Structure formats: structure tokens, C-alpha cells
Amino acid sequence: MRPVYMVSGGITKFRKANPNQDFRLMVKDSFDYAMRDVPNLTMDMIDGSVASYFSDHFTRQLMAGIMVQDYLGLVPRPGKRIEGGGATGGLCFQGGWESVASGRMDVCVAYGFETMSHVNTWKGNEFIALASDVNFDFPVGGFYSGYYAMMVQRHMHEFGTTVEQMAKVSIKNHGNALHNPYAQSPAKLTVEDVRNATMVANPLTLLDICTMSDGAATVIFATEEMATKMGAVDPVLVTGIGSGTDAMRMADRPHGKVLLLDHETESDYKDLKYPGVHSFRGGRNATRLAYKMAGIRNPIEDLSFVELHDAYTSSEIQTYEDMGFCKYGEGGKFIEDGKSELGGVLPVNPSGGLLACGHPVGATGLMQAVFAFWQLQNTIGKHLGGDDFIQVKNAKRGAIHSHAGTGTYITVSIMESTRS
Amino acid sequence: MADKHKDFKLPETDSGTIVFNTDPLIIKYHYEIDYIHSYAEDTPFFVGLSQGKMMGSRCTKCNYGFATPRSHCMECGAPTTWEQLPNQGRVHTYTTCYFGGEAFLNETPFTLILVEFAGFDTLFLSRIVGVDFEKVKIGMPVKAQYLRNSKFKPTDVYFVPMQDDEPAPHTPYSN
């Protein structure tokens, strides 16, 4: 495998609805932004692409990926679509990396989008719920917020996690977004605001849950030689790639032993049945593989920041544990103690995450990569209209985490700064 | 030939298009489909519901018990056999949904539970009725009831709380 660099990225602002642009034009905007950021990167240098979008139901257009490919002027070069629910963007990021690492391409574009405003919110929830078993799960009341509510009820039962701790995730991410013009719902919230918001599926309120959106994102990968040739400034090296899976039906999750990280021992979890429905075994496996490849022994010390898949406040807390920022059961305390805030021991979702930016599924995992890229280039201020409040100082190494279903496909990728 | 048809016009119709907006132009596009959906190897479970029983799976090699059936074992890949689930279990986790996918909006609020059963390693998704939402708790003993007129959907079975004088089952995770 060859070293692979992310040399540029671009995103559209995610919106609840963007009827003025179709998916092709949204991707084009994010692609043009990425191309402009590396002025000597020209179209003829691009060898091919990987496309990321989740749902043909939302698009009502099969093979939408090829329409993006021809709109961008990339035909007849190679292209393909990657799909894996909420992790589609993260899988696409890794697909782009693979294309360059394998030697098949020297420069590869990973682009993604979703246009979720084309149906009403509840039809959209129905479409998303079709990503649960249609024999046994969907007909019982297919609703992802309900599934996540059941998972966190069990997390609260096992570990004593509280709704106030969950609210603090919402406060943090909406608060970070006050300094991110790309975020669609910046807000200064209180615990009371979150708890008094409309109850969706107890204990999750509207402010515990991200927003379906329209949007697009683009990531460009290159070899070292091509990064140099195009004059990429401070390209970011991808040093860790990991992914994992788990059963579609969360009812099928086993109750066995914890998959351990380097800094954990079996005695840490002697009474814990794992993963049950409270933890994400696929996320732990993705983490193990990515940390191993990147040589990360202790994530708190070895990572400068993380952009993770906070579709729900609860899943951010669950993911702290899967990624080993704290032990299983300590995720609620981790946010309560402010450890994941900007300025904390490990800032999580400085961008505002899915909770504040929105979740146009196929674009989301690539959006995380773009924010992480700007962090590691130290260019947050340049790209966010001059506001560098969320720039993590001396950001050396970041992790991005993309997550599908009730934890069915999960990716973790590690990115490192090359600034001297 | 062309001359013969020079006055041809498509017939006009009085059907129209629902327009929400003209800048940009946003129209209503209707789409629906009937699937010819086979339950295939899961068939005995759905037929079982119509006979008032829930069928789970037992691995023929490692003995793992699946409360939601599957014809091959997720742990070792060996074939499973059908085995009836007990009619009583306990609530493993729960939530009350105040919203839902469009297909279920008119049924809200409804309470989802994952049920655990004695002798089975995995769980089963269902709904609980006959109890105030606030009173549903993890570990609560519950029993299955069945629709008399089966719809051959997993909602043909649902759960109600067990009475205090009924012996509660000993289940694997939440006693």
C-alpha cells in the first residue's frame, strides 16, 4: 500500500431543504470549492471517483451517481457507488483511500450527497426505517429514533447514564456550531431547553436528534508525488483505516465479552455483557483496526480532536466508549466533566457535528473529513469566514467516525497533519 | 406518408399537475408499488403466529438460541432448527414513540419493547399494550397475546404485563 494524502475538500451548507439545486449541482459546488483550494490541481490529473449516497428512495433516480460523474466532467473515467446506510460517507472516504493506496489511481475524488427534502419528514423517517429488517423490525413500528431510544434506555439501565448528560452533548455541539457558518442550527442551549423540547421517543427529544437535510461534500485524495505536483499545501496523511459491522436486527446482538483496546484489560469489564443493545461492537472493531494501523495506543493522548457520528446525543456518548476515550459505562461522565468540549482533553465534534450541521446521509461522512482536514491544515479560520474559534490549537492527529443503522456499518479513519 | 398525418395532434386531457412553487418549479410526483413479498425461509414464524405461537431458532451445532428466527446460526454458520419460544418473557428495553415513520404515525404513541426469554440468547422486538407508558420498566414480566385474525405480520403478536399472581419467568439478562 502507498501513503495516501487528502489534498482538498469542499462542502455545501447543509439545509433542511435546498430546492434550488439538485444533487448534481450541490456536488458540483462542493467539488469546485475543493478544486479552487488547490489552484494547480487540474481536471486531467483526476483518475476517477467514488460516489456516496444512501437512498434511491429519496433520490427517485437510480444510478444518480453517474449523473454526478457526467455533470462534473469526469466521464469516461472510472467511478462507482458505495452504500452503507449512515456510514455511506465514511465508507466512501475509505473507498477513495483504497483507490489510491492500491495503486489503481494516483488522484481520486470521493463525492457524496443526499436530497432528503423531496419527501415530508415522516415519509423520510419511513424510508430510513426501511434500513431495518422489513420482515421483523420495520412492520412493528419502523422508526430509528425509537431504536436509538431503546438502546439508550438500556445504556442508562446498565451504567446510570442520565438525560442531563445527553443534553450536554446537544449543548456542546449546537454551541460549537455558533462559530461554524456551515452549520444549519447553531444555538446556545440549556439542559432545560433540551429536556423541554418535543418528546420524540423517550428519552430522546427533538434536540437529542439530528436533522434530515440536503447537502453535498467532496474529498480529494492523491499520492505523495501527485500532491507535490499539484502544489497541495499541507496535505493531510491518512494513517489509519478501520471498519466494522454488526447484525442488522439489534435484537440479534450477542451478550458476550468486550473487544478490548490496547489500554484496557479483561478485568475492566468482568460483569459486562457485550455489546448487548447498549454498545456498538462494529464501532469498537473499526476503532481497533484504525488505531492499530495508525499506532494509537491511548486515544486521549494520541488524538487532537474527533469528528464522530452524533446522529443522537446518546450515540455520541456510546461512541466515546466504543472509541476508548473512557471505559464502557463512563461516557456520560466524560461529557459531564467537559472532556469532549473545545478546550477539554479531547474535543469531540468541534464543527457542531450532525446535531448542528445536519445529516444529508451520503454527504455526512465526507463532511466530517473536510472539517478534520481543515483542522489539520490549521485553516479553519480561512474556510469559516475568518472565525477560527473552533480551530483546535496544534491539531496533529484527528479521527473521523461514520456510523450506520443501529451500529451495522461503522468506519473510523485517522488523519495526520504534515505541517512542520 | 408524412403528409397524411400533418394535422396530427396529441389529444388534450383535463388531468393536471399539482404545483407547490414555480421558483424553482416544485411539483408533486406520485409513486406507489405493490411487492410480491415472500417470507421464504422465515415462513414458519409467520404461520406460527396465526396458530398462537412464536417460533425461534436453535443452532444444531453450538446450541445458540435465537428469539428472532434465522435459518442459519450467526455465531457458527450451522443450520438451525425451529423451537417454540416461551409465551412469557421480560422487558429488556423499551421506548414510547410519539412520532414514527409515515406508515405508523396514526398509531402513535406506541411503546416498543425488546423481549428476552428463558433459554434464548437473543431478543425479540414487539409492542406492549395494556399498561401506562410510564410504568413500563426493564425487567418487567410480560406475556404474549395474538390477534385472532392474523395479518401475517410480526404485529400479530404483542405483549401485555403479567399479573402479580402469575409466576415470572427467569430470563437471561434482566431479572
Side-chain angles (χ1 to χ4, degrees), chain A residues 236 291 296 299-308 323 325 340-342 344-351 368-378 380 390-400 413-417:
Chain A
V236 165
Y291 286 0
I296 292 173
I300 291 286
E301 290 170 12
D302 297 343
L303 293 173
S304 310
F305 69 91
V306 180
E307 288 284 343
L308 67 77
M323 294 186 74
F325 308 157
S340 52
E341 291 172 2
L342 279 170
V345 293
L346 182 58
V348 174
N349 288 325
S351 69
Q368 295 171 319
V370 173
F371 286 133
F373 174 73
W374 292 339
Q375 288 282 6
L376 293 164
Q377 270 192 325
N378 200 40
I380 283 285
I390 64 169
Q391 175 69 55
V392 175
K393 305 291 173 276
N394 301 313
K396 294 268 187 278
R397 190 190 277 131
I400 54 175
S413 305
I414 310 295
M415 301 162 67
E416 293 190 26
S417 176

Side-chain angles (χ1 to χ4, degrees), chain A residues 6 31 48-49 74 112 128 134 146 184 187 209 212 230 237 261 292 294 308 330 351 385 393 411:
Chain A
M6 179 170 167
F31 175 76
S49 72
L74 290 174
I128 293 166
V134 297
Q184 65 174 303
I209 304 174
M212 283 189 273
M230 68 180 73
L237 187 60
L261 295 176
K292 186 176 178 202
L308 67 77
E330 296 174 355
S351 69
K393 305 291 173 276
T411 65

Side-chain angles (χ1 to χ4, degrees), chain A residues 19-20 57 60 120-123 125-126 129 133-143 145-147 149-154 157-158 198-203 246-247 249-255 273 276-277 281, chain B residues 23-24 26 29 31 37-39 42 45-46 64 66 68-70 74-75 91-105 110 112-114 116 121-127 138 153-155 172-174:
Chain A
N20 289 306
H57 291 68
R60 200 180 60 77
N120 73 60
T121 296
W122 306 115
K123 180 56 89 177
N125 270 280
E126 189 180 310
D133 187 311
V134 297
N135 281 5
F136 290 96
D137 290 348
F138 177 79
V140 181
F143 187 37
S145 295
Y147 303 157
M150 283 192 284
M151 288 190 275
V152 75
Q153 289 285 8
R154 193 69 199 188
H157 175 82
E158 294 283 345
T198 303
M199 184 60 75
V200 176
N202 70 322
D246 214 330
R249 302 188 294 233
M250 61 175 176
D252 287 354
R253 306 284 162 80
H255 291 76
K273 306 269 194 219
V277 298
R281 183 172 54 158
Chain B
D23 184 25
I26 303 175
Y29 188 98
Y31 181 73
H37 181 81
S38 172
Y39 282 125
D42 292 338
F45 172 82
F46 294 93
Y64 204 86
F66 295 93
T68 311
R70 55 196 306 139
M74 189 168 74
E75 298 300 310
V91 172
H92 183 77
T93 189
Y94 65 95
T95 185
T96 298
C97 297
Y98 296 88
F99 296 91
E102 193 174 72
F104 308 104
L105 260 192
F110 54 82
L112 298 175
I113 54 173
L114 285 168
E116 52 185 76
D121 298 281
T122 67
L123 310 170
F124 181 77
L125 176 67
S126 193
R127 292 193 193 182
I138 288 172
K153 302 265 177 74
T155 40
Y173 310 116
S174 308

Side-chain angles (χ1 to χ4, degrees), chain A residues 100-364:
Chain A
V100 176
S102 65
R104 186 178 174 198
M105 297 182 194
D106 292 333
V107 178
C108 181
V109 180
Y111 54 73
F113 67 87
E114 210 75 42
T115 48
M116 305 177 83
S117 70
H118 295 196
V119 293
N120 73 60
T121 296
W122 306 115
K123 180 56 89 177
N125 270 280
E126 189 180 310
F127 285 172
I128 293 166
L130 287 170
S132 62
D133 187 311
V134 297
N135 281 5
F136 290 96
D137 290 348
F138 177 79
V140 181
F143 187 37
Y144 257 93
S145 295
Y147 303 157
Y148 274 81
M150 283 192 284
M151 288 190 275
V152 75
Q153 289 285 8
R154 193 69 199 188
H155 198 273
M156 294 162 76
H157 175 82
E158 294 283 345
F159 304 128
T161 310
T162 67
V163 293
E164 288 77 19
Q165 290 168 337
M166 288 154 56
K168 287 193 171 147
V169 173
S170 185
I171 293 166
K172 167 177 70 72
N173 294 358
H174 287 281
N176 290 348
L178 291 166
H179 300 278
N180 182 359
Y182 281 104
Q184 65 174 303
S185 51
K188 191 166 165 36
L189 300 174
T190 64
V191 171
E192 291 70 34
D193 292 333
V194 179
R195 293 316 303 162
N196 292 335
T198 303
M199 184 60 75
V200 176
N202 70 322
L204 300 172
T205 75
L206 264 183
L207 287 172
D208 286 303
I209 304 174
C210 68
T211 309
M212 283 189 273
S213 301
D214 292 350
T218 294
V219 165
I220 302 178
F221 295 102
T223 59
E224 186 160 336
E225 187 186 352
M226 286 306 294
T228 304
K229 188 174 173 190
M230 68 180 73
V233 178
D234 297 330
V236 165
L237 187 60
V238 180
T239 56
I241 291 282
S243 66
T245 56
D246 214 330
M248 178 63 130
R249 302 188 294 233
M250 61 175 176
D252 287 354
R253 306 284 162 80
H255 291 76
K257 282 188 176 173
V258 176
L259 302 178
L260 297 174
L261 295 176
D262 276 356
H263 63 289
E264 296 174 328
T265 62
E266 211 160 300
S267 63
D268 292 338
Y269 302 119
K270 53 184 186 300
D271 297 322
L272 182 62
K273 306 269 194 219
Y274 181 87
V277 298
H278 50 73
S279 299
F280 301 117
R281 183 172 54 158
R284 177 47 73 98
N285 201 60
T287 300
R288 287 210 304 185
L289 292 169
Y291 286 0
K292 186 176 178 202
M293 184 171 159
I296 292 173
R297 299 296 301 271
N298 184 335
I300 291 286
E301 290 170 12
D302 297 343
L303 293 173
S304 310
F305 69 91
V306 180
E307 288 284 343
L308 67 77
H309 192 97
D310 56 328
Y312 299 91
T313 54
S314 50
S315 57
E316 176 164 324
I317 289 174
Q318 290 166 293
T319 300
Y320 294 159
E321 301 170 355
D322 298 324
M323 294 186 74
F325 308 157
C326 56
K327 289 198 173 70
Y328 279 108
E330 296 174 355
K333 188 89 173 25
F334 193 78
I335 177 69
E336 188 175 309
D337 292 347
K339 290 185 177 172
S340 52
E341 291 172 2
L342 279 170
V345 293
L346 182 58
V348 174
N349 288 325
S351 69
L354 283 61
L355 285 169
C357 293
H359 184 20
V361 180
T364 303

Side-chain angles (χ1 to χ4, degrees), chain A residues 140-141 150 202, chain B residues 89-97 107 109-115 124-145 154-155 157-163:
Chain A
V140 181
M150 283 192 284
N202 70 322
Chain B
R90 286 181 188 265
V91 172
H92 183 77
T93 189
Y94 65 95
T95 185
T96 298
C97 297
E107 298 169 19
F110 54 82
T111 302
L112 298 175
I113 54 173
L114 285 168
V115 188
F124 181 77
L125 176 67
S126 193
R127 292 193 193 182
I128 188 169
V129 297
V131 58
D132 290 343
F133 313 140
E134 302 77 29
K135 293 193 176 144
V136 178
K137 292 280 179 290
I138 288 172
M140 175 185 265
V142 292
K143 60 183 177 188
Q145 293 188 171
T155 40
V157 63
Y158 56 94
F159 286 79
V160 296
M162 289 178 67
Q163 301 301 313

